[in-house]
Amino acid sequence: MDFGRLITAMVTPFDDQGVIDWEQTARLIDYLIDEQKSDALVICGTTGESPTLSEEEKLSLFEFALKQANGRCKIIAGTGSNNTAESIQLTVKAEKCGVDGVLLVAPYYNKPNQEGLYRHFEAIARSTELPVMLYNVPSRTVIGLTAETTLRLAQLPNVVATKECASLEQVTQIVAGAPEGFKVYSGDDSATLPAMSVGAYGIVSVASHIIGHQMKEMIGAFLDGRVIESAKLHQRLLPVFKGLFECPHPVPNPVAVKYALNQTGFAVGSVRLPLVPPTEAEAEFIRNLLP
């Protein structure tokens, strides 16, 4: 399975009552595919506010995204959690929906050791025939997969990729030791080009909601050997990469990107508690980031 180079971790649009807005969801999917050039969409990942979505909402979103995309891009279902049995259950149901793959986040809060992490991912991967992308994000989960555990998991036949948010050094170690066909994606927009320079395949992005087509140009320039051009594009896009997460004060994803989308004509609504909208100072900062 090739999920492409540019994958957008899509936000979940809500109406004023905090209910999924299906009309805006359809609009956003079309926009991300046709205008921002996404090769795949992650539905119900962290950026999609998965912790506050019910299983019923998640399954409805998987089915809706598949229908709306209609084969124009890959649909990756966020089915991971810190409960192995529940993750298996959701993964099996997502497979029945017809998704192209699943994204499995490292189990947060429980703080398992590396053997526990391995067995968690192994159990979910063995429950499905779908391609599996691991998701290592220590800043959110407290614990993280080591390069060694990632490479051990990469030996499983349907574990085909990882979204890596640890160090560039770890990206390098995984790329160097991975079996043929296993792909490493950066999970940090600002590290897209540096990670690709050491062998990463692409990016699972948040900023691509706003500047996806420019990111696709940067990736294309790098792959074509136009390294100086790709570096200049990276330099130009870096303030947006960093600003969407830092603002004047760090704000949790997806607060900033949802506000930015609302400012650019996409009524994706606000975030669900416990997340809250940006302050006025943060909102002004985000407005000034927009192209």
Side-chain angles (χ1 to χ4, degrees):
M1 173 62 67
D2 187 346
F3 295 123
R5 302 281 184 172
L6 180 67
I7 302 173
T8 298
M10 194 181 84
V11 304
T12 301
F14 298 130
D15 64 18
D16 292 341
Q17 304 303 311
V19 176
I20 296 172
D21 186 325
W22 296 107
E23 181 180 346
Q24 291 299 323
T25 301
R27 248 190 102 211
L28 182 61
I29 289 169
D30 289 344
Y31 170 74
L32 292 174
I33 297 170
D34 297 335
E35 297 189 41
Q36 298 295 3
K37 309 303 180 185
S38 298
D39 298 311
L41 301 176
V42 173
I43 307 298
C44 304
T46 308
T47 306
E49 299 178 70
S50 57
T52 59
L53 293 170
S54 68
E55 182 180 281
E56 182 181 359
E57 287 176 318
K58 290 177 182 179
L59 292 170
S60 295
L61 281 162
F62 299 156
E63 291 172 351
F64 186 89
L66 283 163
K67 184 177 180 181
Q68 188 67 29
N70 194 27
R72 292 177 293 158
C73 77
K74 304 296 184 188
I75 299 298
I76 304 169
T79 61
S81 73
N82 64 342
N83 182 325
T84 308
E86 284 189 5
S87 296
I88 289 171
Q89 179 179 318
L90 184 58
T91 298
V92 169
K93 290 179 179 179
E95 183 170 11
K96 290 179 181 177
C97 290
V99 300
D100 297 296
V102 293
L103 178 72
L104 304 179
V105 67
Y108 38 87
Y109 193 79
N110 309 38
K111 297 182 74 173
N113 61 18
Q114 292 300 307
E115 184 61 25
L117 287 169
Y118 176 82
R119 294 189 190 184
H120 170 83
F121 287 114
E122 178 193 33
I124 303 169
R126 291 193 186 282
S127 75
T128 181
E129 294 183 1
L130 287 172
V132 170
M133 181 185 292
L134 310 173
Y135 179 17
N136 187 41
V137 55
S139 65
R140 284 184 176 267
T141 60
V142 182
I143 50 84
L145 286 161
T146 63
E148 291 75 16
T149 302
T150 300
L151 291 171
R152 186 181 172 197
L153 286 163
Q155 300 304 314
L156 298 172
N158 62 329
V159 176
V160 300
T162 186
K163 175 185 176 183
E164 183 57 62
C165 298
S167 66
L168 196 60
E169 178 180 330
Q170 178 145 319
V171 170
T172 307
Q173 291 172 332
I174 296 169
V175 170
E180 185 177 356
F182 184 83
K183 295 177 174 62
V184 179
Y185 288 85
S186 173
D188 176 359
D189 284 308
S190 63
T192 304
L193 189 60
M196 291 189 71
S197 74
V198 297
Y201 190 75
I203 175 70
V204 181
S205 175
V206 173
S208 55
H209 285 89
I210 308 298
I211 51 171
H213 66 286
Q214 294 100 316
M215 295 178 70
K216 205 67 177 288
E217 288 176 16
M218 178 185 73
I219 291 168
F222 176 78
L223 294 173
D224 289 345
R226 292 176 282 123
V227 178
I228 294 174
E229 182 181 341
S230 66
K232 287 181 177 177
L233 285 165
H234 169 77
Q235 292 158 16
R236 191 185 314 156
L237 299 176
L238 186 62
V240 180
F241 293 155
K242 296 184 72 64
L244 286 176
F245 288 89
E246 293 181 357
C247 289
H249 309 287
V251 296
N253 180 38
V255 172
V257 72
K258 288 192 98 171
Y259 182 83
L261 282 165
N262 282 313
Q263 294 300 302
T264 55
F266 285 89
V268 296
S270 191
V271 288
R272 285 180 174 175
L273 286 171
L275 299 180
V276 294
T279 65
E280 181 48 44
E282 290 164 349
E284 182 181 3
F285 182 89
I286 296 164
R287 288 194 296 271
N288 288 334
L289 285 176
L290 297 177

